[in-house]
Amino acid sequence: MRQRIGGWWHGLYSRHQGPVLVASGALVTILLIGAYDLIAPDPQRITDWQFTTAVNKVVDERPRGASVESMAYATIIPSVVRVDGYGDEADDPSTGPTEPKAPTAENPPEGNLQEDFHEEFTAVGTGVVIDEQGTILTNLHVAGAAKRLRVTFADGSESPAMMVGARPESDLAVIRPFNVPDEVHPATLASSASLNPGDAVVAVGFPFGIGPSASAGVVSGLERSLAQEGRAALQNLIQFDAAANPGNSGGPLVNADGEVVGIVTAILNPSGLRTFAGIGFAVPIESAASAAGENPL
């Protein structure tokens, strides 16, 4: 009997070797799966609360990405310069044995408030490099307020500078340093035509000589005008609410991509104090760049 079954199986296997192997493999697989189901532990069941807790833990522990404002600051800062004004050669720190102190931003005696806080209490302004030759855009009321100018680049190097152009109707000046660092980082200029109220902006400069400092805010309005005592009103200004104070003058106003859309030129404080009250103005980069013969587009 055993020989008969063996012969039958051998004959079947010889005639149908392929199908027999496939069927045998399938049978073995089914048996293994069945055995695993018998010995495998029940799957762990988690509640909605446990799932939410685990997700929140992962989110809380992930590294925080850089903010839009910090990325804009990092983009523009290599192009920002400090502009110092001096009355004569003796006041220039590069010509004397010791470095003189800049005028201190102190409050005036009570009842003796000076009208122009910027000119009285600080000799510092800001500028932004716009080309490979080191040409700098700033405000005319910064560059024109002193006999001598000295700029400090982002790498710490310093150079005397001179004003080579001005546009009084826009309070703009173009200055050129005598010595330029080996690596110059011109800012990227972007048309202000794409700006809308509510867009994020960052103002970078040296308020009261402290800096470089960044302040973030939004575009508050466009095509504003600002009256100037004894002079024609400034026209087509960008209004913004990023904090700006004396020393920010001439510095860049940049968009979320770190592109210069304006040059900070004025603040408005109804109290008469030359400190920030939430309203700042910048000259659109189209007007500023054209003063230097540059095309921002």
Side-chain angles (χ1 to χ4, degrees):
M1 183 69 176
R2 181 178 300 175
Q3 290 179 346
R4 183 181 300 175
I5 294 174
W8 173 82
W9 171 254
H10 185 269
L12 178 65
Y13 181 78
S14 299
R15 291 192 304 272
H16 306 286
Q17 182 178 1
V20 169
L21 289 176
V22 171
S24 300
L27 179 60
V28 170
T29 302
I30 293 172
L31 292 174
L32 289 175
I33 293 174
Y36 176 80
D37 287 340
L38 291 174
I39 63 174
D42 292 334
Q44 183 181 5
R45 305 294 182 182
I46 63 172
T47 65
D48 291 342
W49 179 85
Q50 290 173 319
F51 177 77
T52 302
T53 301
V55 170
N56 289 338
K57 185 174 186 296
V58 172
V59 171
D60 290 341
E61 292 180 353
R62 68 179 178 177
R64 300 296 181 185
S67 68
V68 170
E69 293 81 3
S70 68
M71 294 177 66
Y73 174 83
T75 299
I76 189 59
I77 195 60
S79 309
V80 177
V81 301
R82 170 172 167 148
V83 181
D84 289 282
Y86 303 96
D88 53 41
E89 186 172 351
D91 293 332
D92 190 333
S94 66
T95 60
T98 59
E99 182 174 340
K101 294 181 179 179
T104 304
E106 297 176 347
N107 290 324
E110 186 175 355
N112 188 28
L113 182 64
Q114 297 293 326
E115 182 177 355
D116 196 334
F117 194 82
H118 181 281
E119 292 183 3
E120 183 69 17
F121 294 105
T122 180
V124 178
T126 308
V128 59
V129 178
I130 59 170
D131 63 24
E132 295 288 348
Q133 290 70 47
T135 304
I136 296 167
L137 273 175
T138 188
N139 283 148
L140 181 58
H141 76 259
V142 172
K147 295 179 181 179
R148 296 169 59 83
L149 298 173
R150 190 166 191 84
V151 297
T152 305
F153 291 92
D155 64 358
S157 62
E158 300 181 354
S159 172
M162 64 180 296
M163 185 164 60
V164 297
R167 181 165 286 184
E169 68 274 16
S170 299
D171 190 25
L172 293 167
V174 180
I175 61 178
R176 191 159 292 153
F178 293 111
N179 305 306
V180 178
D182 292 336
E183 292 189 12
V184 179
H185 301 278
T188 300
L189 311 182
S191 173
S192 65
S194 61
L195 288 179
N196 294 292
D199 285 349
V201 287
V202 176
V204 181
F206 294 85
F208 299 109
I210 302 172
S213 300
S215 58
V218 299
V219 174
S220 302
L222 301 166
E223 299 182 0
R224 303 298 200 214
S225 60
L226 180 65
Q228 302 180 95
E229 186 175 352
R231 292 179 291 172
L234 295 172
Q235 302 290 342
N236 192 33
L237 300 176
I238 302 167
Q239 180 188 339
F240 61 90
D241 71 351
N245 283 291
N248 277 107
S249 295
L253 183 73
V254 303
N255 60 20
D257 295 321
E259 302 166 328
V260 182
V261 294
I263 298 297
V264 176
T265 192
I267 56 177
L268 180 64
N269 189 331
S271 69
L273 294 174
R274 298 282 293 182
T275 52
F276 188 66
I279 301 177
F281 297 99
V283 178
I285 196 59
E286 290 86 349
S287 299
S290 64
E294 295 286 330
N295 185 351
L297 302 179

